């Protein structure tokens, strides 16, 4: 098992490059199942979640090839014969549930394991099931599997309203609707950039979707979609993570350049909060420059659906508030109890208390490096950020969580001046 050892105190200098978006690449990959022939996707990061999803997709007979050197992924579903997604793989990554919409859309049948829960709450899929039923699918639950089929072999267009708005359910129902017979209407659809990029690729394949970027999507089902070559967008959550890193460890007056950056994908709430911290932001062509302020100001935030403050940046923002002198709070409105990082930050001396759906922070006090445990993807990167501003060494254990969503993070950060290294360790024997 690997851990990251971070020695605090080194400033971030120079530049960082954002990889392709994990949460966009996964739906783009599932779209490849809707057509026969090679689908090529550029800027696909070399992440555990991408590898896991490739394994899930290959169970169907679809072939995949990923070249990490060029970040190019090619998929070919010509020989797709098996309409299943097994528990052993789906349990590793919730987004595997996209196989339900993809297989139903392509062939009118699917046997897909229900995804497991995760570190914070049950994370239901009721909206996904509701959407498939709205398109005429007959659904049974059989020993942990969703078994679905379209009477007559093809789904019919239908109307579905998502309450609450759901990124995954919107994507899953789109996968089913684009090849259904007739029109579908998706109300209160998610408008995250992941969804807009996904719809753009589907349209490039021949899908008929109107209302991109709005909360009402109109889909006219077509009989066939065509292979396509498509470029994935940069990862907005990695971008936000790097901006926070620059604000808390940059040298005032020395801008950090962050390349391959789509700043508009972060939404106004994050950008406004970031500006209020005193950090300076200069926007260039496909890049941004961030300059840390002399005095970081605490800014309370509340997570929300796009364009609200991204829940996937909530843990990282808490570390910024731990550095900024003063009292502030973060309210999480998307998930119950997405605060598993807070007890670990406590161990480092961060004065933060979870009260209901909020974490209240008294920032500005020195924090100390120590052993800490990753519990989920975004919590683990918040511990790396905390190690960067702590005194001494922080051992961030179980970084397999972090490897799900951050490509080569220790290489990127150490090339920008941070003292960080990856080492293997035996969790039961490690004396540190
Ligand atoms: C996507 O998850 C992202 N994952 C998550 O990022 C992100 O946190 C989340 O959207 C919110 O932005 C991927 O894109 C692979 P939702 P998803 O359905 O689709 C409730 C990361 O760190 N809900 O938008 O699963 C749900 O419980 C991950 O990269 C239902 O009630 O999120 C939550 O409260 C973590 N019923 C809310 O909707 C359903 O059927 C939003 O969830 C589905 C969801």
């Amino acid at each position: 098992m690997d851990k990251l050892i971070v020695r605090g105190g080194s400033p971030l200098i120079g530049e960082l490059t954002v990889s392709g978006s994990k949460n966009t690449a996964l739906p783009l990959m599932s779209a490849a199942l809707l057509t026969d022939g090679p689908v090529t996707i550029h800027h696909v990061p070399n992440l555990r979640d991408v590898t896991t999803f490739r394994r899930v997709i290959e169970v169907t007979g679809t072939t995949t090839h990923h070249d990490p050197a060029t970040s190019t992924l090619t998929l070919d579903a010509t020989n797709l014969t098996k309409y299943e997604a097994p528990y052993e793989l789906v349990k590793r990554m919730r987004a595997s549930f996209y196989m339900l919409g993809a297989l139903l859309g392509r062939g009118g049948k699917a046997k897909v394991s229900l995804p497991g829960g995760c570190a914070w709450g049950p994370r239901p899929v009721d909206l996904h099931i509701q959407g498939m039923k709205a398109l005429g699918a007959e659904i049974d639950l059989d020993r942990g599997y969703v078994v679905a089929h379209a009477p007559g072999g093809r789904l019919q267009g239908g109307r579905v309203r998502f309450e609450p708005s759901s990124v995954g359910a919107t994507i899953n129902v789109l996968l089913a609707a684009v090849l259904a017979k007739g029109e579908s209407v998706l109300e209160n659809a998610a408008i995250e950039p992941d969804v807009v990029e996904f719809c753009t690729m589907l349209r490039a394949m021949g899908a008929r979707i109107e209302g991109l970027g709005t909360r009402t999507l109109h889909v006219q089902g077509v009989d066939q979609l065509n292979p396509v070559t498509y470029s994935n967008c940069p990862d907005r959550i990695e971008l936000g993570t790097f901006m926070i890193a620059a604000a808390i460890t940059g040298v005032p007056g020395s801008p950090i350049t962050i390349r391959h950056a789509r700043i508009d994908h972060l939404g106004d709430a994050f950008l406004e909060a970031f500006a209020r911290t005193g950090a300076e932001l200069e926007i260039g062509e496909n890049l941004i420059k961030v300059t840390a302020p002399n005095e970081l100001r605490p800014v309370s935030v509340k997570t929300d659906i796009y364009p609200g403050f991204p829940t996937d940046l909530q843990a990282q923002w808490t570390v910024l508030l731990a550095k900024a002198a003063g009292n502030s709070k973060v309210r999480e409105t998307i998930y119950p109890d997405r605060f598993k990082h807070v007890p670990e930050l406590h161990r480092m001396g961060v004065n933060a208390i979870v009260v209901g759906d909020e974490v209240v922070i008294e920032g500005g006090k020195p924090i100390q490096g120590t052993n800490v445990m990753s519990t989920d993807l975004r919590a683990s990167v918040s511990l790396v950020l905390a190690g960067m501003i702590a005194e001494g060494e922080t051992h961030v254990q179980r970084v397999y969580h972090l490897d799900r969503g951050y490509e080569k993070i220790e290489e990127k950060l150490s090339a920008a001046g941070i003292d960080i290294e990856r080492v293997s360790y035996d969790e039961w024997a490690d004396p540190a």
Side-chain angles (χ1 to χ4, degrees), residues 341-362:
H341 49 288
V342 174
E344 299 303 314
L345 293 174
H346 247 288
R347 292 173 45 73
M348 301 178 72
V350 172
N351 190 350
I353 309 284
V354 177
V355 180
D357 63 358
E358 288 184 338
V359 54
V360 182
I361 301 114
E362 181 191 1

Side-chain angles (χ1 to χ4, degrees), residues 38 49 86 92 105 164 174 199 216 265 337 364:
D49 275 7
R92 296 167 185 269
L174 280 166
C199 288
T216 301
H265 281 180
D337 191 22

Side-chain angles (χ1 to χ4, degrees), residues 41 134 136 158 200 225 293 301 325 344 349 387 391 402 424 426:
I41 308 170
T200 305
L225 293 175
V301 298
E344 299 303 314
E391 294 163 356
L402 191 143
S424 297
D426 174 351

Side-chain angles (χ1 to χ4, degrees), residues 22-23 94 123-127 166-168 312 334-335 378:
K22 166 178 88 78
N23 290 349
R94 173 186 170 82
R123 296 187 71 187
V125 289
D126 55 313
L127 296 174
S166 160
V167 172
D312 292 350
I334 304 295
Y335 293 107
R378 307 303 174 183

Side-chain angles (χ1 to χ4, degrees), residues 64-184:
T64 77
H65 175 72
H66 190 211
D67 178 357
T70 62
S71 301
T72 299
L73 173 66
T74 303
L75 308 97
D76 190 332
T78 303
N79 299 315
L80 188 155
T81 54
K82 192 170 184 183
Y83 287 77
E84 292 191 20
Y87 171 71
E88 291 68 28
L89 289 169
V90 173
K91 72 181 179 185
R92 296 167 185 269
M93 187 191 66
R94 173 186 170 82
S96 306
F97 204 59
Y98 291 154
M99 294 299 284
L100 177 63
L103 295 176
L104 263 179
R106 176 198 173 92
K109 58 186 177 185
K111 180 181 179 185
V112 178
S113 170
L114 281 168
C118 66
W120 13 277
R123 296 187 71 187
V125 289
D126 55 313
L127 296 174
H128 300 241
I129 303 295
Q130 173 195 328
M132 301 308 162
K133 287 181 175 175
L135 301 185
E138 293 187 3
I139 306 259
D140 292 309
L141 293 185
D142 178 14
R143 285 169 293 171
Y145 280 80
V146 173
V147 181
H149 79 277
R154 184 180 182 187
L155 294 173
Q156 306 294 319
R159 177 182 291 269
V160 59
R161 178 172 184 79
F162 301 109
E163 284 299 350
S165 168
S166 160
V167 172
T170 301
I171 288 166
N172 224 347
V173 173
L174 280 166
L175 283 162
V178 289
L179 285 171
K181 184 171 177 52
E183 179 179 10
S184 296

